[in-house]
Coordinates of all heavy atoms in Angstrom, one line a residue:
M4 N 192.2 116.3 42.2 CA 191.3 116.8 43.3 C 189.9 116.5 42.8 O 189.5 116.9 41.7 CB 191.5 118.2 43.6 CG 192.7 118.5 44.5 SD 192.7 120.2 45.1 CE 193.2 121.1 43.5
A5 N 189.1 116.0 43.7 CA 187.7 115.8 43.4 C 187.0 117.1 43.7 O 187.5 118.0 44.3 CB 187.1 114.6 44.4
G6 N 185.7 117.1 43.3 CA 184.9 118.3 43.4 C 184.7 118.7 44.9 O 184.7 117.7 45.7
G7 N 184.6 119.8 45.2 CA 184.3 120.3 46.6 C 185.5 120.4 47.6 O 185.2 120.5 48.8
V8 N 186.6 120.2 47.1 CA 187.8 120.2 48.0 C 188.1 121.6 48.4 O 188.0 122.6 47.5 CB 189.1 119.6 47.3 CG1 190.3 119.8 48.2 CG2 188.9 118.1 47.0
Q9 N 188.4 121.9 49.7 CA 188.7 123.2 50.2 C 190.2 123.2 50.5 O 190.6 122.5 51.5 CB 187.7 123.5 51.3 CG 186.3 123.7 51.0 CD 185.5 124.1 52.2 OE1 186.0 124.5 53.3 NE2 184.2 123.8 52.1
L10 N 191.0 124.1 49.9 CA 192.3 124.2 50.2 C 192.6 125.5 51.0 O 192.1 126.5 50.6 CB 193.2 124.2 48.9 CG 193.4 123.0 48.1 CD1 194.2 123.2 46.8 CD2 194.0 121.8 48.9
G11 N 193.4 125.3 52.1 CA 193.8 126.4 52.8 C 195.0 127.2 52.2 O 195.3 126.9 51.1
N12 N 195.5 128.2 52.9 CA 196.6 128.9 52.3 C 197.9 128.2 52.5 O 198.1 127.5 53.5 CB 196.7 130.3 53.0 CG 195.4 131.1 52.7 OD1 195.0 131.2 51.6 ND2 194.8 131.7 53.8
R13 N 198.9 128.4 51.6 CA 200.2 127.9 51.6 C 200.2 126.4 51.7 O 201.1 125.8 52.5 CB 201.0 128.6 52.9 CG 201.1 130.1 52.9 CD 201.7 130.6 54.1 NE 201.2 130.1 55.3 CZ 200.1 130.4 55.9 NH1 199.2 131.2 55.4 NH2 199.7 129.9 57.0
V14 N 199.4 125.8 51.0 CA 199.3 124.2 51.0 C 200.2 123.8 49.8 O 200.2 124.4 48.8 CB 197.8 123.7 50.7 CG1 197.8 122.3 50.4 CG2 197.0 124.1 51.9
I15 N 201.1 122.7 50.1 CA 201.9 122.2 49.2 C 201.5 120.8 48.9 O 201.5 119.9 49.7 CB 203.3 122.2 49.6 CG1 203.8 123.7 49.9 CG2 204.3 121.5 48.6 CD1 205.2 123.8 50.5
L16 N 201.1 120.5 47.6 CA 200.7 119.2 47.2 C 201.8 118.6 46.3 O 201.9 119.1 45.2 CB 199.4 119.3 46.6 CG 198.1 119.8 47.3 CD1 197.0 119.9 46.4 CD2 197.9 119.0 48.5
A17 N 202.5 117.6 46.7 CA 203.4 117.0 45.9 C 202.8 116.3 44.7 O 201.6 116.1 44.7 CB 204.3 116.1 46.7
G18 N 203.7 115.9 43.8 CA 203.2 115.2 42.6 C 202.2 114.0 42.8 O 202.5 113.2 43.7
Q19 N 201.2 113.8 42.0 CA 200.2 112.8 42.1 C 199.5 112.6 43.4 O 199.1 111.5 43.7 CB 200.9 111.5 41.7 CG 201.4 111.4 40.2 CD 202.0 110.1 39.8 OE1 202.5 109.3 40.7 NE2 201.9 109.8 38.6
T20 N 199.3 113.7 44.2 CA 198.5 113.6 45.3 C 197.1 113.6 44.9 O 196.7 114.3 44.1 CB 198.8 114.9 46.2 OG1 200.1 114.8 46.8 CG2 197.7 115.0 47.4
G21 N 196.4 112.7 45.5 CA 194.9 112.6 45.2 C 194.1 112.9 46.4 O 194.5 112.6 47.5
I22 N 193.0 113.7 46.3 CA 192.2 114.2 47.4 C 190.7 113.8 47.0 O 190.2 114.1 46.0 CB 192.4 115.7 47.6 CG1 193.8 116.1 47.7 CG2 191.5 116.2 48.7 CD1 194.1 117.6 47.7
A23 N 190.1 113.2 48.0 CA 188.8 112.7 47.7 C 187.8 113.9 47.9 O 188.1 115.0 48.3 CB 188.4 111.7 48.8
N24 N 186.6 113.7 47.5 CA 185.5 114.7 47.4 C 185.2 115.2 48.8 O 185.2 114.6 49.8 CB 184.3 114.1 46.9 CG 183.2 115.1 46.4 OD1 183.5 116.3 46.2 ND2 181.9 114.6 46.4
Q25 N 185.0 116.6 48.9 CA 184.5 117.3 50.1 C 185.5 117.3 51.2 O 185.1 117.4 52.4 CB 183.1 116.7 50.7 CG 182.0 116.7 49.6 CD 181.7 118.1 49.2 OE1 181.7 119.0 49.9 NE2 181.4 118.3 47.9
V26 N 186.8 117.1 50.9 CA 187.9 117.1 51.9 C 188.3 118.4 52.2 O 188.4 119.4 51.2 CB 189.1 116.2 51.6 CG1 190.2 116.3 52.5 CG2 188.5 114.8 51.5
K27 N 188.6 118.9 53.5 CA 189.2 120.2 53.8 C 190.6 120.1 54.2 O 191.0 119.3 55.0 CB 188.3 120.8 55.0 CG 186.9 121.0 54.7 CD 186.2 121.6 55.8 CE 184.7 121.8 55.5 NZ 183.9 122.2 56.7
I28 N 191.5 120.8 53.5 CA 192.9 120.8 53.8 C 193.2 122.1 54.4 O 193.0 123.2 53.9 CB 193.7 120.6 52.4 CG1 193.2 119.4 51.6 CG2 195.2 120.6 52.7 CD1 193.5 118.2 52.2
G29 N 193.8 122.1 55.7 CA 194.1 123.2 56.4 C 195.2 124.1 55.9 O 196.0 123.6 55.1
D30 N 195.3 125.2 56.4 CA 196.6 126.1 56.1 C 197.9 125.4 56.4 O 198.1 124.8 57.4 CB 196.4 127.4 56.8 CG 195.3 128.3 56.5 OD1 194.7 128.0 55.4 OD2 195.0 129.2 57.3
G31 N 198.8 125.6 55.5 CA 200.2 125.1 55.7 C 200.4 123.6 55.6 O 201.4 123.1 56.0
V32 N 199.4 122.9 55.1 CA 199.6 121.5 55.0 C 200.6 121.1 53.9 O 200.6 121.8 52.8 CB 198.2 120.8 54.7 CG1 198.3 119.3 54.2 CG2 197.3 120.9 56.0
M33 N 201.3 120.1 54.0 CA 202.3 119.5 53.0 C 202.0 118.1 52.8 O 201.8 117.3 53.8 CB 203.7 119.7 53.5 CG 204.2 121.1 53.6 SD 205.8 121.3 54.3 CE 206.8 120.4 53.2
T34 N 202.0 117.6 51.5 CA 201.8 116.2 51.4 C 203.0 115.6 50.6 O 203.7 116.4 49.8 CB 200.4 115.9 50.5 OG1 200.8 116.4 49.1 CG2 199.3 116.7 51.0
S35 N 203.3 114.3 50.7 CA 204.3 113.7 50.0 C 203.7 113.4 48.6 O 202.6 113.4 48.4 CB 204.8 112.5 50.8 OG 203.8 111.5 50.7
A36 N 204.6 112.8 47.7 CA 204.2 112.5 46.4 C 203.3 111.2 46.6 O 203.6 110.3 47.4 CB 205.5 112.0 45.5
Q37 N 202.3 111.1 45.7 CA 201.4 110.0 45.7 C 200.6 109.8 47.0 O 200.1 108.7 47.2 CB 202.1 108.7 45.3 CG 202.6 108.7 43.9 CD 203.3 107.4 43.4 OE1 203.6 106.6 44.3 NE2 203.3 107.3 42.2
A38 N 200.4 110.9 47.8 CA 199.6 110.8 49.0 C 198.2 110.7 48.5 O 197.8 111.2 47.5 CB 199.8 112.0 49.9
G39 N 197.4 109.8 49.2 CA 196.0 109.7 49.0 C 195.2 110.2 50.2 O 195.1 109.5 51.3
I40 N 194.6 111.3 50.1 CA 193.9 112.0 51.2 C 192.4 111.7 51.1 O 191.7 112.1 50.1 CB 194.2 113.6 51.1 CG1 195.7 113.7 51.3 CG2 193.4 114.2 52.3 CD1 196.1 115.2 51.1
H41 N 191.9 111.1 52.1 CA 190.4 110.6 52.1 C 189.7 111.4 53.2 O 188.4 111.2 53.1 CB 190.4 109.1 52.5 CG 191.1 108.3 51.4 ND1 190.4 107.7 50.4 CD2 192.4 108.1 51.2 CE1 191.3 107.1 49.6 NE2 192.5 107.2 50.2
S42 N 190.3 112.1 54.1 CA 189.7 112.8 55.2 C 190.3 114.1 55.4 O 191.5 114.4 55.0 CB 189.6 111.9 56.5 OG 190.9 111.7 56.8
D43 N 189.7 115.0 56.2 CA 190.2 116.3 56.4 C 191.6 116.3 57.0 O 192.0 115.3 57.8 CB 189.3 117.1 57.4 CG 187.9 117.3 56.8 OD1 187.7 117.1 55.6 OD2 187.0 117.8 57.5
V44 N 192.4 117.3 56.8 CA 193.7 117.4 57.4 C 193.9 118.7 58.0 O 193.6 119.7 57.5 CB 194.8 117.3 56.1 CG1 196.3 117.4 56.7 CG2 194.7 116.1 55.2
A45 N 194.3 118.6 59.3 CA 194.5 119.7 60.1 C 195.6 120.7 59.7 O 196.5 120.3 59.0 CB 194.7 119.3 61.6
P46 N 195.4 121.9 60.0 CA 196.4 123.0 59.5 C 197.8 122.6 60.1 O 197.9 122.0 61.2 CB 196.0 124.3 60.2 CG 194.4 124.1 60.4 CD 194.3 122.6 60.7
G47 N 198.8 122.8 59.2 CA 200.2 122.6 59.6 C 200.6 121.1 59.5 O 201.8 120.9 59.8
E48 N 199.8 120.2 59.2 CA 200.2 118.7 59.1 C 201.0 118.5 58.0 O 200.9 119.0 56.9 CB 199.0 117.8 59.2 CG 198.5 117.7 60.6 CD 197.9 116.3 60.8 OE1 198.5 115.2 60.5 OE2 196.7 116.3 61.2
I49 N 201.9 117.4 58.1 CA 202.6 116.8 57.0 C 202.1 115.4 56.8 O 202.1 114.7 57.8 CB 204.1 116.9 57.2 CG1 204.6 118.3 57.3 CG2 204.8 116.2 56.0 CD1 206.1 118.4 57.8
V50 N 201.6 115.0 55.7 CA 201.0 113.7 55.5 C 201.6 113.0 54.3 O 202.1 113.6 53.4 CB 199.4 113.9 55.3 CG1 198.7 114.3 56.5 CG2 199.1 114.6 54.0
C51 N 201.7 111.6 54.5 CA 202.3 110.9 53.5 C 201.5 109.5 53.3 O 200.9 109.1 54.2 CB 203.8 110.4 54.0 SG 204.9 111.7 54.5
G52 N 201.8 108.9 52.1 CA 201.2 107.6 51.9 C 199.7 107.5 51.5 O 199.1 108.5 51.4
T53 N 199.3 106.3 51.2 CA 197.8 106.0 50.9 C 197.3 104.9 51.6 O 197.8 103.8 51.5 CB 197.7 105.8 49.3 OG1 198.2 106.8 48.6 CG2 196.4 105.5 48.9
P54 N 196.4 105.1 52.5 CA 195.8 106.4 52.9 C 196.8 107.2 53.6 O 197.6 106.8 54.2 CB 194.6 106.1 53.8 CG 194.9 104.8 54.4 CD 195.8 104.0 53.3
A55 N 196.5 108.6 53.4 CA 197.6 109.5 54.0 C 197.5 109.4 55.6 O 196.5 109.4 56.2 CB 197.1 110.9 53.7
L56 N 198.7 109.4 56.0 CA 198.9 109.4 57.5 C 199.9 110.5 57.9 O 200.7 110.9 57.1 CB 199.7 108.0 57.9 CG 199.0 106.7 57.6 CD1 199.9 105.5 57.8 CD2 197.8 106.6 58.4
P57 N 199.7 110.9 59.2 CA 200.7 111.9 59.7 C 202.2 111.4 59.4 O 202.5 110.2 59.6 CB 200.4 112.0 61.2 CG 199.0 111.6 61.3 CD 198.8 110.5 60.2
Y58 N 203.1 112.3 59.1 CA 204.5 111.9 58.7 C 205.2 111.1 59.7 O 205.8 110.1 59.3 CB 205.1 113.3 58.6 CG 206.7 113.1 58.2 CD1 207.1 112.5 57.0 CD2 207.7 113.4 59.2 CE1 208.4 112.4 56.7 CE2 209.0 113.3 58.9 CZ 209.4 112.8 57.7 OH 210.7 112.6 57.4
K59 N 205.1 111.3 61.0 CA 205.8 110.5 62.0 C 205.3 109.1 62.1 O 206.0 108.1 62.2 CB 205.8 111.1 63.3 CG 206.7 112.4 63.4 CD 206.7 113.0 64.8 CE 207.7 114.2 64.9 NZ 207.8 114.8 66.1
L60 N 204.0 109.0 62.1 CA 203.3 107.7 62.0 C 203.7 106.8 60.8 O 204.0 105.7 60.8 CB 201.8 107.8 62.1 CG 201.1 106.5 62.0 CD1 201.5 105.5 63.2 CD2 199.5 106.7 62.2
Y61 N 203.7 107.6 59.6 CA 204.1 107.0 58.4 C 205.4 106.4 58.4 O 205.8 105.3 57.9 CB 204.0 108.0 57.2 CG 204.4 107.5 55.8 CD1 203.5 106.7 55.2 CD2 205.6 107.8 55.3 CE1 203.9 106.2 53.9 CE2 206.0 107.3 54.1 CZ 205.1 106.5 53.4 OH 205.5 106.0 52.1
L62 N 206.4 107.0 59.0 CA 207.8 106.5 59.1 C 207.8 105.3 60.0 O 208.6 104.4 59.7 CB 208.7 107.6 59.9 CG 209.1 108.8 58.9 CD1 209.9 109.8 59.7 CD2 209.7 108.5 57.6
K63 N 207.0 105.2 61.1 CA 207.0 104.1 62.0 C 206.4 102.9 61.1 O 206.8 101.8 61.2 CB 206.2 104.3 63.1 CG 206.8 105.3 64.1 CD 205.9 105.5 65.3 CE 206.5 106.6 66.3 NZ 205.6 106.9 67.4
V64 N 205.4 103.1 60.3 CA 204.7 102.1 59.5 C 205.7 101.6 58.5 O 205.8 100.4 58.3 CB 203.5 102.6 58.8 CG1 202.9 101.7 57.8 CG2 202.4 102.9 59.8
C65 N 206.4 102.4 57.8 CA 207.5 102.1 56.9 C 208.6 101.2 57.5 O 209.0 100.1 56.9 CB 208.0 103.2 56.2 SG 206.9 104.1 55.0
A66 N 208.9 101.5 58.8 CA 210.0 100.8 59.4 C 209.5 99.3 59.6 O 210.3 98.4 59.7 CB 210.4 101.4 60.7
V67 N 208.3 99.1 60.0 CA 207.7 97.8 60.3 C 207.4 97.0 59.0 O 207.4 95.8 59.0 CB 206.5 98.0 61.3 CG1 205.8 96.7 61.4 CG2 206.9 98.5 62.6
Y68 N 207.0 97.7 58.0 CA 206.5 97.0 56.9 C 207.3 95.9 56.3 O 206.8 94.8 56.0 CB 206.2 98.1 55.7 CG 205.6 97.5 54.5 CD1 204.2 97.4 54.5 CD2 206.3 97.3 53.3 CE1 203.5 96.9 53.4 CE2 205.5 96.8 52.2 CZ 204.2 96.6 52.2 OH 203.5 96.2 51.2
G69 N 208.7 96.0 56.2 CA 209.4 95.0 55.6 C 209.6 93.7 56.6 O 210.0 92.8 56.1
R70 N 209.3 94.0 57.9 CA 209.3 92.8 58.9 C 208.0 92.1 59.1 O 207.9 91.1 59.9 CB 209.8 93.4 60.2 CG 211.2 94.0 60.1 CD 211.9 94.3 61.5 NE 211.0 94.7 62.5 CZ 210.9 95.9 63.0 NH1 211.6 97.0 62.5 NH2 210.1 96.3 64.0
L71 N 207.0 92.5 58.4 CA 205.7 91.9 58.6 C 205.7 90.4 58.3 O 205.0 89.7 59.2 CB 204.5 92.7 57.8 CG 204.2 94.0 58.2 CD1 203.1 94.6 57.3 CD2 203.6 93.9 59.6
P72 N 206.2 90.0 57.3 CA 206.2 88.5 57.2 C 206.8 87.7 58.3 O 206.1 86.7 58.8 CB 206.9 88.2 55.9 CG 206.8 89.5 55.1 CD 206.8 90.6 56.2
D73 N 207.9 88.2 58.9 CA 208.5 87.4 60.0 C 207.6 87.6 61.3 O 207.6 86.7 62.0 CB 209.9 88.0 60.3 CG 210.9 87.7 59.2 OD1 210.7 86.7 58.5 OD2 211.9 88.4 59.0
M74 N 207.1 88.8 61.4 CA 206.3 89.0 62.6 C 205.0 88.2 62.5 O 204.6 87.6 63.5 CB 205.9 90.5 62.7 CG 207.0 91.5 63.0 SD 206.6 93.2 62.8 CE 205.6 93.6 64.1
Y75 N 204.5 88.0 61.3 CA 203.3 87.2 61.2 C 203.5 85.7 61.5 O 202.8 85.0 62.3 CB 202.8 87.2 59.7 CG 201.7 86.4 59.5 CD1 200.3 86.7 60.0 CD2 201.8 85.2 58.7 CE1 199.3 85.9 59.6 CE2 200.6 84.4 58.4 CZ 199.4 84.7 59.0 OH 198.3 83.9 58.7
Q76 N 204.7 85.2 61.1 CA 205.1 83.9 61.5 C 205.3 83.7 62.9 O 204.9 82.7 63.5 CB 206.5 83.5 60.7 CG 206.2 83.3 59.2 CD 205.2 82.3 58.9 OE1 205.1 81.2 59.5 NE2 204.4 82.5 57.8
S77 N 205.9 84.7 63.6 CA 206.1 84.6 65.0 C 204.8 84.6 65.9 O 204.5 83.8 66.7 CB 206.9 85.8 65.6 OG 208.2 85.8 65.1
L78 N 203.8 85.4 65.3 CA 202.5 85.5 65.8 C 201.8 84.1 65.7 O 201.2 83.5 66.7 CB 201.6 86.5 65.2 CG 200.1 86.6 65.6 CD1 200.1 86.9 67.1 CD2 199.4 87.7 64.8
K79 N 201.9 83.5 64.5 CA 201.3 82.1 64.4 C 201.9 81.1 65.2 O 201.2 80.3 65.9 CB 201.4 81.7 62.9 CG 200.8 82.6 61.9 CD 199.2 82.7 62.1 CE 198.5 81.4 61.5 NZ 197.1 81.5 61.6
Q80 N 203.2 81.2 65.4 CA 203.8 80.2 66.4 C 203.4 80.4 67.8 O 203.0 79.4 68.5 CB 205.3 80.4 66.3 CG 205.9 79.9 65.0 CD 207.4 80.1 64.9 OE1 208.0 80.8 65.7 NE2 208.1 79.7 63.7
L81 N 203.3 81.7 68.2 CA 202.8 81.9 69.6 C 201.3 81.5 69.7 O 201.0 81.0 70.8 CB 202.9 83.4 69.9 CG 204.3 84.0 70.1 CD1 204.3 85.4 70.1 CD2 204.8 83.3 71.4
Q82 N 200.5 81.7 68.8 CA 199.0 81.2 68.8 C 199.1 79.7 68.9 O 198.2 79.1 69.7 CB 198.4 81.7 67.6 CG 198.0 83.2 67.6 CD 197.3 83.6 66.3 OE1 197.7 83.1 65.2 NE2 196.5 84.6 66.4
R83 N 199.8 79.1 68.1 CA 199.9 77.5 68.2 C 200.4 77.1 69.7 O 199.7 76.2 70.3 CB 200.7 76.9 67.1 CG 200.1 76.9 65.8 CD 200.9 76.0 64.8 NE 202.2 76.6 64.4 CZ 202.3 77.4 63.5 NH1 201.2 77.7 62.6 NH2 203.5 77.9 63.1
K84 N 201.3 77.8 70.2 CA 201.9 77.3 71.4 C 200.9 77.6 72.5 O 200.6 76.8 73.4 CB 203.2 78.2 71.7 CG 203.9 77.8 73.0 CD 205.2 78.7 73.1 CE 205.9 78.3 74.4 NZ 207.1 79.0 74.5
F85 N 200.2 78.8 72.5 CA 199.2 79.2 73.4 C 198.0 78.1 73.4 O 197.5 77.7 74.4 CB 198.8 80.6 73.2 CG 197.6 81.1 74.3 CD1 198.1 81.4 75.6 CD2 196.4 81.2 73.9 CE1 197.2 81.8 76.5 CE2 195.5 81.6 74.9 CZ 195.9 81.9 76.1
K86 N 197.6 77.8 72.2 CA 196.5 76.9 72.0 C 196.9 75.5 72.5 O 196.0 74.9 73.2 CB 196.1 76.8 70.5 CG 195.0 75.9 70.3 CD 194.5 75.8 68.8 CE 193.4 75.0 68.7 NZ 193.1 74.6 67.3
N87 N 198.0 75.1 72.3 CA 198.4 73.7 72.8 C 198.6 73.7 74.4 O 198.4 72.7 74.9 CB 199.8 73.3 72.1 CG 199.6 73.1 70.6 OD1 198.5 72.7 70.3 ND2 200.7 73.1 69.9
S88 N 199.0 74.9 74.9 CA 199.2 74.9 76.3 C 197.8 74.9 77.0 O 197.8 74.6 78.2 CB 200.1 76.0 76.8 OG 199.4 77.3 76.5
N89 N 196.8 75.3 76.4 CA 195.5 75.4 77.0 C 194.6 74.1 76.8 O 193.6 73.9 77.4 CB 194.6 76.6 76.4 CG 195.1 77.8 77.0 OD1 195.7 77.9 78.1 ND2 194.9 78.9 76.2
D90 N 195.1 73.1 76.0 CA 194.5 71.9 75.8 C 194.7 70.8 76.9 O 195.4 70.9 77.8 CB 194.9 71.3 74.4 CG 194.3 72.1 73.3 OD1 193.3 72.8 73.5 OD2 194.8 72.0 72.2

């Protein structure tokens, strides 16, 4: 934890959680291991990842992460197709 961090009551910080300077962590917040917190966290939130994201959003990001290379290739093909159709 950097200097000036304000922790609320009943906060659970899993191992290797990092918190930036002057961040406020609300009551009842939970973090996953290796979470990187760069901004204030509202009371009762569960955050994961670096940068820390709300838990449900983090799960969606993880689900898409492995498919990014294929999605990128599809996007490039669509861009080429769209560009060629406008010429």
Side-chain angles (χ1 to χ4, degrees):
M4 282 190 286
V8 172
Q9 295 179 16
L10 288 179
N12 296 317
R13 301 172 316 281
V14 171
I15 299 173
L16 302 174
Q19 295 184 331
T20 293
I22 306 173
N24 194 26
Q25 303 298 322
V26 170
K27 296 177 185 175
I28 308 293
D30 293 342
V32 167
M33 294 174 56
T34 71
S35 68
Q37 297 183 338
I40 302 174
H41 300 261
S42 59
D43 295 350
V44 181
E48 280 212 55
I49 301 171
V50 295
C51 307
T53 301
L56 299 171
Y58 176 68
K59 288 183 180 183
L60 177 58
Y61 179 77
L62 291 178
K63 291 176 184 178
V64 168
C65 287
V67 171
Y68 187 75
R70 298 191 328 252
L71 284 177
D73 294 334
M74 293 169 73
Y75 177 73
Q76 290 303 318
S77 296
L78 176 62
K79 295 300 277 183
Q80 289 173 355
L81 287 169
Q82 286 175 328
R83 282 191 291 267
K84 184 177 181 180
F85 183 73
K86 183 180 178 187
N87 290 338
S88 68
N89 286 335
D90 289 339

